Amino acid sequence: MRGLMQAQPLTTSSILEHAERCHGGQRIVSRMVEGPIHRCSYRELAARSRRLANALLSLGIAGDDVIGTLAWNGFRHVEAWYAVAGLGHVLHTINPRLAAGQLAYIINHAEDRAILADLSFVPLLESIADQLPGLRDVIIMTDREHMPATSLRSAHCYEELLEQSPASLHWPALPEDTASSLCYTSGTTGRPKGVLYSHRSTVVHALSVCTPNVMGLGMQSVVLPVVPMFHANAWGTIHAAPMAGSKLVLPGPSMDGKSLHELITGEEVDVAAAVPTVWQMFLQYLQDSNQRVDCLNRVMVAGSAVPRSMIEIFKRKYGVTVCHAWGMTELSPVGTINHPGPEERSMAEQEQLALRCKQGRFVYGVTARIVDDEQRELPWNGASAGHLQVRGPWIAASYYKETGDHLLDEDNFMDTGDIGTIDANGYLQITDRAKDLIKSGGEWISSVELEGHAMDHPDVALAAAIAIPDPKWDQRPILIVKLKQGHAAEAEDIREFVARRVARWQAPEWVTVTDEMPLTATGKISKLALRHRYSHPVQSVD
Ligand code: AMP
């Protein structure tokens, strides 16, 4: 027997319409590329998104056209998200931190017909324009006054287009499995791959992000996604905040400690989301400038493992709860998040802290398992480590332009490439990326664990453990660290600090201190670059 409920499709335009009608006065605050802070309401956002949609139609955008964005987190970028997807086209968020060759590759692979670009990225686009044969229109996201002289053909001024376009439009009724947006994975190995989200996956994911066990958003929340809209959908905040009627605060191009602090305290942000490197900088700023962040209640931290010291400092010094999360572009991106559960009430503080360091519980909608090399399922006992596999309604089945459900096995699980344990309460602990594990004398060493211990050293800002070839043990771990500004620990001190915390054979062979830690386009440490740099056999301590 079939249920008798309405088959109303879940589309992103329904979020915008809801925000306009029920939370029309709620604010969006953006730091603009042009400098000042801009304020508007969800009512204005909805009207301007309709104007932009009409402008896109007047440029001849139609059918399955893909429209790129090269933009920071700001109100015009939000309008572009809703206008493009609302019309039934595909919004491609391009990561401007990619190398020029990679940028040209993904723009051509996605077949971007038009690109909406912030002023900051006009020179970048000009430098690769001759490699983009399919690009027809560029819309520069500024007003007439700031419009630059440009060599780009068919460059339009965003605000002029909006002025010339009517605000009336009925969003088309789309099947909910229509593609809505496209995001390429960072591509630390091989070519970047496109993850193509649907309206349904986006809406269901945003509903989950609003819930108390994920970001806990409501009308009283003030949300600051520092995580860029071009990296894994700004973790769902751009759809979840209007759904919940939360105030949305967008940092534009300024993600330094001082600018973030101004925005957080000025706008009374209570929940913010960013990768660990951003929070590391922020904590350094708070400490150096002796500032406080009393309005901030919790920070979502994901992208790479959160050091224990970060969780401790945020809580003890500033009263801020760190919610450690794990996700992937392929998961829209939320997979797990760490919130204090009822079983913690009876735990001692140190035990609680150890639990906080895990990546957290799977959220409803993400079904997980861990398996060994022979695909045998492993128990959830917090000790057995295996390949992490997931399935669910906001998880990719295949990459863009690669046909079939080729990411999935016969049980519809996707292998994440991560290695981890899961405990009896469903808490995930990532122990490594499969390709980052270090095998020494036949035993596995977790690079994440070594990095975590190194980050607990008071002088260390960033740490990466990689394997180097060893004639006797096959591989040995080495540790590369960047020190905090004004700190001067010796490499050997750090090696001993880590060695005291692990088994003797797991201790790093040597430690080197570097001034320049290579980062990927998504702000993670590039182990690929480090492997190139340190690919020689074992050396003595630096
Ligand atoms: P991306 O698609 O660029 O967001 O990268 C996803 C990958 O980042 C995951 O497969 C993990 O390897 C890593 N990652 C994300 N969150 C965490 C975390 N909290 N701890 C450790 N690794 C993480």
Side-chain angles (χ1 to χ4, degrees):
M1 192 185 296
R2 295 193 58 181
L4 293 174
M5 307 309 282
Q6 298 183 9
Q8 196 59 34
L10 301 170
T11 57
T12 58
S13 56
S14 69
I15 302 175
L16 193 61
E17 284 178 330
H18 168 76
E20 180 179 23
R21 296 220 178 98
C22 298
H23 307 288
Q26 185 56 286
R27 312 305 283 166
I28 302 175
V29 180
S30 316
R31 193 189 291 279
M32 295 171 78
V33 175
E34 295 90 334
I37 298 278
H38 175 275
R39 289 167 200 283
C40 64
S41 65
Y42 282 131
R43 197 172 292 116
E44 287 162 306
L45 179 89
R48 284 172 53 89
S49 301
R50 288 194 294 269
R51 281 186 194 278
L52 176 60
N54 279 320
L56 294 172
L57 292 173
S58 73
L59 292 177
I61 282 154
D64 286 341
D65 278 349
V66 179
I67 314 295
T69 56
L70 266 171
W72 301 112
N73 294 8
F75 68 102
R76 292 190 183 114
H77 199 178
V78 178
E79 290 161 7
W81 275 35
Y82 280 101
V84 173
L87 285 174
H89 310 309
V90 178
L91 189 282
H92 170 202
T93 48
I94 306 166
N95 185 340
R97 294 176 183 147
L98 292 171
Q102 274 184 321
L103 274 176
Y105 170 81
I106 64 163
I107 292 170
N108 289 328
H109 187 265
E111 298 179 60
D112 290 349
R113 147 83 169 69
I115 291 180
L116 292 115
D118 263 343
L119 276 176
S120 342
F121 303 120
V122 172
L124 180 63
L125 207 45
E126 285 171 340
S127 72
I128 55 168
D130 60 352
Q131 299 168 53
L132 310 174
L135 182 63
R136 301 250 294 275
D137 294 286
V138 176
I139 301 172
I140 303 178
M141 300 171 88
T142 190
D143 53 21
R144 194 173 301 131
E145 194 191 332
H146 293 91
M147 199 56 190
T150 173
S151 60
L152 289 167
R153 274 174 293 121
S154 231
H156 310 271
C157 167
Y158 186 95
E159 291 298 335
E160 264 181 29
L161 279 182
L162 259 63
E163 271 166 35
Q164 293 156 8
S165 305
S168 59
L169 174 109
H170 286 294
W171 297 109
L174 303 169
E176 62 182 16
D177 59 353
T178 307
S180 58
S181 59
L182 177 63
C183 184
Y184 281 73
T185 57
S186 35
T188 41
T189 52
R191 287 289 197 189
K193 294 189 182 326
V195 179
L196 186 64
Y197 309 96
S198 68
H199 282 262
R200 176 186 158 80
S201 71
T202 305
V203 173
V204 178
H205 178 260
L207 279 167
S208 168
V209 168
C210 291
T211 58
N213 286 352
V214 185
M215 280 200 198
L217 301 188
M219 291 180 286
Q220 307 293 343
S221 311
V222 184
V223 192
L224 170 69
V226 185
V227 51
M229 291 164 70
F230 54 75
H231 180 204
N233 305 312
W235 302 350
T237 47
I238 306 301
H239 294 111
M243 196 179 253
S246 311
K247 176 173 163 185
L248 190 55
V249 181
L250 303 168
S254 312
M255 285 172 257
D256 59 287
K258 184 169 185 292
S259 306
L260 289 181
H261 183 259
E262 267 171 26
L263 214 50
I264 291 172
T265 50
E267 301 304 325
E268 305 212 307
V269 169
D270 70 333
V271 49
V275 294
T277 39
V278 166
W279 293 124
Q280 200 85 36
M281 263 175 11
F282 184 69
L283 286 175
Q284 181 85 49
Y285 171 78
L286 290 185
Q287 191 183 322
D288 294 349
S289 58
N290 214 8
Q291 301 273 8
R292 296 201 55 78
V293 271
D294 293 338
C295 58
L296 194 60
N297 176 271
R298 55 199 190 282
V299 290
M300 309 287 148
V301 195
S304 47
V306 180
R308 183 188 177 104
S309 54
M310 181 179 285
I311 300 175
E312 257 183 319
I313 295 171
F314 256 127
K315 193 76 202 169
R316 288 233 179 98
K317 282 187 85 170
Y318 304 105
V320 176
T321 301
V322 167
C323 302
H324 187 186
W326 165 88
M328 298 176 76
T329 306
E330 290 85 341
L331 270 80
S332 301
V334 176
T336 67
I337 189 152
N338 199 325
H339 283 282
E343 64 282 349
E344 281 181 45
R345 286 195 202 114
S346 55
M347 281 183 191
E349 200 185 330
Q350 286 308 310
E351 211 182 338
Q352 278 184 15
L353 189 58
L355 193 57
R356 286 279 79 75
C357 291
K358 294 190 175 190
Q359 277 73 7
R361 284 181 157 102
F362 290 92
V363 305
Y364 169 76
V366 177
T367 303
R369 68 181 185 193
I370 38 172
V371 300
D372 65 13
D373 289 342
E374 277 74 49
Q375 287 291 307
R376 282 182 303 240
E377 211 170 330
L378 296 172
W380 289 22
N381 57 14
S384 308
H387 302 273
L388 174 63
Q389 303 185 334
V390 288
R391 71 176 177 209
W394 59 75
I395 298 173
S398 72
Y399 290 118
Y400 186 43
K401 292 190 176 169
E402 295 184 14
T403 46
D405 293 346
H406 67 86
L407 273 174
L408 308 184
D409 66 10
E410 63 274 18
D411 301 323
N412 287 329
F413 277 92
M414 181 193 90
D415 196 287
T416 62
D418 286 329
I419 306 289
T421 63
I422 305 176
D423 70 18
N425 291 320
Y427 279 87
L428 169 71
Q429 180 155 31
I430 296 285
T431 51
D432 236 317
R433 289 291 294 167
K435 63 181 181 338
D436 290 343
L437 273 172
I438 301 162
K439 199 164 198 182
S440 185
E443 295 291 339
W444 294 110
I445 300 175
S446 158
S447 65
V448 172
E449 192 188 343
L450 293 181
E451 288 156 10
H453 291 310
M455 295 288 287
D456 286 341
H457 188 290
D459 287 9
V460 172
L462 292 173
I466 58 168
I468 50 159
D470 181 272
K472 185 167 176 196
W473 303 108
D474 187 20
Q475 291 185 331
R476 290 293 300 148
I478 62 159
L479 197 57
I480 300 118
V481 297
K482 185 176 171 185
L483 298 183
K484 290 180 185 161
Q485 250 176 357
H487 292 250
E490 296 286 330
E492 183 53 23
D493 288 348
I494 299 169
R495 202 193 76 81
E496 278 171 14
F497 181 89
V498 174
R500 277 200 298 275
R501 289 159 173 78
V502 294
R504 209 148 56 102
W505 57 274
Q506 295 174 325
E509 202 63 33
W510 48 276
V511 173
T512 189
V513 176
T514 181
D515 289 336
E516 192 248 328
M517 188 68 94
L519 298 181
T520 67
T522 51
K524 299 179 194 188
I525 295 174
S526 171
K527 292 204 171 170
L528 200 64
L530 287 176
R531 282 191 199 105
H532 281 306
R533 205 194 275 177
Y534 299 98
S535 57
H536 39 74
V538 176
Q539 302 184 343
S540 58
V541 172
D542 253 10

